[in-house]
């Protein structure tokens, strides 16, 4: 073991890891170190410029994982995960939408004491400052959020259109969803640049003498020792490959915290001997804690979408999306001189989180009962315990039958999106609007597992298998196809929006046609959770309600991987809240 020793080692300088670094180093008596595999890209213009975020996929700041071929979809799916200080908060879009109260209470109902919504909301509010119009700011958290006024033509048309068909505007940070949303973005209104974990949480505290941060440093193993056969394993330190390529170790006095994300956190546990014993033995890894749930319960939002032609006399940002020289030049000029235009935003703030009305009537509930009965219980993953499969289905059923809970997340944009296009890069001529349609609460569950114990692969996208198993639970196809049909019907009746569209004919009155469309066009969002789930071990858990790894006395996981039930929409806000809660638990336990 190296003579270099810290009180707390944080593996991963992403969204969660930098929240922990800030909060734990508030105690001057704790020596904290963060080890991040990626670079510090806080000076990169593409990182900081909001409208440039699509350029960050498949860049050096992205792990760029690939799923195995999907049995029930027509495509293999790329998984962007941030490989830089700030993690995915440095490369993904900016939408800051919390989840519903029912979702958080669903986590608690799995057996996670302390995860009530009031506690979660307190942690969430600690993370941000929300800037509204006329200079009004709420909160004192490090992350800076900008809320658009909602006064553009398309924003007003979307809000008014949904109100006209019975869905009022809602507050995306309230925990009470079910209507149209103007989403806050993690953009600093003073600088017009991305606000993310690196410049919000880390930069203000980089000079603390008790905090060290090392980039381009890939941890390959947590060093675990078991004092006796019936005792919990103890983390003594970590092995890593340093920036110069040499293998090194660091010792730990108190805690090791893995915050490497939904793909890399289970990978690191397995490389360290925590996982399915049979898998680890096949790869020549010493089994420290035999827990077959590690890497299971991978969840993500599946989405498709619809496009509609806009009238010729209204403005859209299609020309910018087609990268036409004049439109790009004007956008760059607007951003450089005024901090406005399509380069100043994700261009996706107009949203809705909506119920699915067809399951709210007595007849609809009977149909849903029939679907659950016909489709079979627990079909989302063969590795899921019966107890969790039943709990997951109870939760999803409760959402589907509630008039006030969001079944789907809908993202509206004033440009063509290639849902049903010849290629992902295709951009149609003319003017369009698009609606992305996400399945908020999938029952399909996948997995992440290592395929090699070779430490040289740990800093790459190789040496592991990601199997999302999209649509493996048949109810997901049923619900998402009905969302497609519902979206088309809803927009056809939303006159304040439809008045700006060209006439069109409905394509999906037939449910089977909608199902075929979903199979052909669906893709995965960047919202991966669940692979180190927080719940009782017997139910399928990897960590307990204070994020401690089962079978280990001083090892925790704190990131999106611990979330056991997928949030309703973009998980950025959820991850910040989880990290704030984790920091509170750790500080309490280290006293």
């Amino acid at each position: 073991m190296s003579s270099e020793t810290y009180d707390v080692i944080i593996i991963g300088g992403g969204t969660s890891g930098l929240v922990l670094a800030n909060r734990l180093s508030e105690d001057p008596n704790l020596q904290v170190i963060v080890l991040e595999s990626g670079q510090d890209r806080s000076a990169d213009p593409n990182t900081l410029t909001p409208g440039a975020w699509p350029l960050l996929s498949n860049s050096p700041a992205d792990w760029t994982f690939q799923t195995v071929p999907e049995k029930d979809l027509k495509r293999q799916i790329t998984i962007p995960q941030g490989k830089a200080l700030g993690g995915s908060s440095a490369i993904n879009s900016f939408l800051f939408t919390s989840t519903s109260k029912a979702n958080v209470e669903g986590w608690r109902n799995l057996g996670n004491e302390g995860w009530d919504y009031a506690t979660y909301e307190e942690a969430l509010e600690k993370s941000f400052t929300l800037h509204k119009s006329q200079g009004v700011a709420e909160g004192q958290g490090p992350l800076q959020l900008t809320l658009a006024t909602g006064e553009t033509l398309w924003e007003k048309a979307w809000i008014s259109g949904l109100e006209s068909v019975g869905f009022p505007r809602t507050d995306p940070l309230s925990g009470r969803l079910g209507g149209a949303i103007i989403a806050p973005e993690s953009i600093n209104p003073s600088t017009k640049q991305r606000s993310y974990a690196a410049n919000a949480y880390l930069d203000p505290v980089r000079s603390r003498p008790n905090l060290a941060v090392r980039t381009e440093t890939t941890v390959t193993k947590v060093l675990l020792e078991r004092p006796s056969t019936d005792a919990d394993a103890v983390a003594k330190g970590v092995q890593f490959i340093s920036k110069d390529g040499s293998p090194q170790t660091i010792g730990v006095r108190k805690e090791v915290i893995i915050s490497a994300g939904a793909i890399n956190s289970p990978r690191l546990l397995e490389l360290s001997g925590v996982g399915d014993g049979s898998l680890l033995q096949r790869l020549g890894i010493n089994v420290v804690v035999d827990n077959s749930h590690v890497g299971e319960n991978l969840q993500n939002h599946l989405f498709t979408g619809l496009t509609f032609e806009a009238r010729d006399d209204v403005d859209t940002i299609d020309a910018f999306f087609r990268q036409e020289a004049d439109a790009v030049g004007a956008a760059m000029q607007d951003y450089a001189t005024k901090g406005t235009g399509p380069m100043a935003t994700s261009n996706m703030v107009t949203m809705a989180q909506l119920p699915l009305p067809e399951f709210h009537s007595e007849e609809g509930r009977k149909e849903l009962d029939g679907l659950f009965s016909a489709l079979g219980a627990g079909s989302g993953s063969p590795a899921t315990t019966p107890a969790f499969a039943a709990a997951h289905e109870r939760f999803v059923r409760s959402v589907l039958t509630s008039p006030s809970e969001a079944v789907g997340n809908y993202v509206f944009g004033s440009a063509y999106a290639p849902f049903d296009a010849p290629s992902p890069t295709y951009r149609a001529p003319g003017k369009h609007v698009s609606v992305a349609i996400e399945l908020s609460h999938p029952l399909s569950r996948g997995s992440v597992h290592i395929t090699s114990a070779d430490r040289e692969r740990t800093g790459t996208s190789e040496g592991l298998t990601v199997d999302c198993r999209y649509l493996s639970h048949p109810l997901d196809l049923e619900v998402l196809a009905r969302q497609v049909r519902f979206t088309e019907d809803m927009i056809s009746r939303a006159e304040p929006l439809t008045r700006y569209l060209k006439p069109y004919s409905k394509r999906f009155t037939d449910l089977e046609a909608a199902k075929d469309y979903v199979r052909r066009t669906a893709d995965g969002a960047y919202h991966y959770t669940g692979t180190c789930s927080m719940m009782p071990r017997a139910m399928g858990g990897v960590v307990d309600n204070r994020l401690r790894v089962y079978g280990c006395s001083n090892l925790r996981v704190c990131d999106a991987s611990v979330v056991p039930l997928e949030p309703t929409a973009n998980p950025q806000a959820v991850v910040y809240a989880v990290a704030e809660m984790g920091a509170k638990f750790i500080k309490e336990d280290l006293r």
Side-chain angles (χ1 to χ4, degrees), residues 158-182:
W158 175 254
I159 298 291
S160 300
L162 291 190
E163 287 177 336
S164 74
V165 293
F167 299 112
R169 181 171 176 173
T170 54
D171 179 352
L173 301 178
S174 69
R176 296 179 296 278
L177 306 172
I181 290 167
I182 301 296

Side-chain angles (χ1 to χ4, degrees), residues 18 21-22 85 196-207 211 213:
L18 295 186
N22 179 304
L85 277 181
Y196 69 118
N199 58 17
Y201 273 88
L202 178 61
D203 282 355
V205 302
R206 279 185 193 252
S207 61
L211 175 62
V213 178

Side-chain angles (χ1 to χ4, degrees), residues 271 452-458:
L271 288 169
S452 170
D454 181 2
R455 69 183 183 190
E456 298 298 328
R457 295 187 175 188
T458 312

Side-chain angles (χ1 to χ4, degrees), residues 12 99-100 131 140 185 212 264 270 299 339 370 400 437 448 486 543:
T99 194
S100 68
H131 299 268
Q140 297 180 333
E185 294 186 284
N264 278 320
E270 290 181 336
Q299 296 172 46
L400 287 168
I437 305 164
V448 176
F486 164 67
V543 301

Side-chain angles (χ1 to χ4, degrees), residues 22-351:
N22 179 304
R23 298 308 186 191
L24 298 183
S25 65
E26 289 173 345
D27 182 348
N29 296 314
L30 281 181
Q31 297 295 317
V32 179
I33 187 169
V34 179
L35 304 175
E36 165 56 39
S37 190
Q39 300 175 339
D40 182 354
R41 306 188 69 87
S42 58
D44 176 15
N46 287 342
T47 298
L48 297 174
T49 304
W53 76 269
L55 302 176
L56 297 169
S57 293
N58 297 305
S59 77
D62 180 10
W63 283 90
T64 318
F65 295 109
Q66 298 283 333
T67 66
V68 300
E70 290 292 325
K71 175 177 176 289
D72 295 298
L73 295 183
K74 302 299 184 184
R75 66 179 76 194
Q76 189 178 31
I77 291 174
T78 299
I79 302 175
Q81 294 276 282
K83 189 178 184 181
L85 277 181
S88 291
S89 76
I91 73 166
N92 282 350
S93 75
F94 306 83
L95 302 181
F96 197 87
T97 57
S98 186
T99 194
S100 68
K101 178 180 179 180
N103 185 236
V104 177
E105 297 292 346
W107 308 345
R108 185 194 63 177
N109 293 341
L110 294 173
N112 295 308
E113 182 182 350
W115 286 81
D116 57 278
Y117 184 75
T119 304
Y120 165 88
E121 187 175 42
E122 180 182 354
L124 175 66
E125 291 175 351
K126 192 175 180 181
S127 72
F128 67 84
T129 299
L130 177 63
H131 299 268
K132 298 183 176 181
S133 58
Q134 288 84 46
V136 175
E138 296 178 358
Q140 297 180 333
L143 196 71
Q144 303 301 304
L145 305 181
T146 297
L147 181 63
T149 61
E151 292 300 313
T152 70
L153 180 145
W154 290 114
E155 289 168 349
K156 289 191 290 186
W158 175 254
I159 298 291
S160 300
L162 291 190
E163 287 177 336
S164 74
V165 293
F167 299 112
R169 181 171 176 173
T170 54
D171 179 352
L173 301 178
S174 69
R176 296 179 296 278
L177 306 172
I181 290 167
I182 301 296
E185 294 186 284
S186 49
I187 296 172
N188 189 326
S190 299
T191 63
K192 310 298 183 182
Q193 294 179 335
R194 181 193 293 270
S195 180
Y196 69 118
N199 58 17
Y201 273 88
L202 178 61
D203 282 355
V205 302
R206 279 185 193 252
S207 61
R208 285 178 180 167
N210 63 326
L211 175 62
V213 178
R214 296 186 190 173
T215 56
E216 298 178 76
T217 301
T218 300
V219 175
T220 58
K221 184 179 183 180
V222 179
L223 299 171
L224 295 169
E225 295 181 7
R226 191 180 291 280
S228 62
T229 55
D230 59 348
D232 283 349
V234 179
K236 295 293 188 177
V238 301
Q239 286 183 350
F240 62 91
I241 299 174
S242 67
K243 189 173 184 178
D244 63 9
S246 64
Q248 297 184 25
T249 62
I250 288 179
V252 71
R253 288 185 286 269
K254 295 182 181 293
E255 295 245 358
V256 174
I257 308 162
I258 301 175
S259 296
I263 309 299
N264 278 320
S265 285
R267 174 194 222 179
L268 190 53
L269 283 177
E270 290 181 336
L271 288 169
S272 305
V274 180
D276 183 351
S278 60
L279 168 66
L280 302 185
Q281 288 173 343
R282 286 198 306 271
L283 296 175
I285 296 172
N286 180 50
V287 180
V288 180
V289 178
D290 188 352
N291 186 343
S292 61
H293 308 310
V294 173
E296 294 293 326
N297 197 34
L298 177 67
Q299 296 172 46
N300 186 31
H301 295 133
L302 195 66
F303 76 93
T304 182
L306 300 174
T307 61
F308 303 87
E309 284 193 273
R311 284 182 0 206
D312 295 332
D313 61 340
V314 292
D315 290 330
T316 67
I317 56 172
D318 281 283
F320 173 75
F321 272 36
R322 288 192 294 264
Q323 293 294 282
E324 295 177 8
D326 288 348
V328 172
M332 294 178 68
Q333 178 70 11
D334 284 344
Y335 182 67
T337 59
K338 297 179 289 186
T340 61
M343 293 297 290
T345 173
S346 67
N347 299 295
M348 298 190 301
V349 301
T350 315
M351 304 173 63

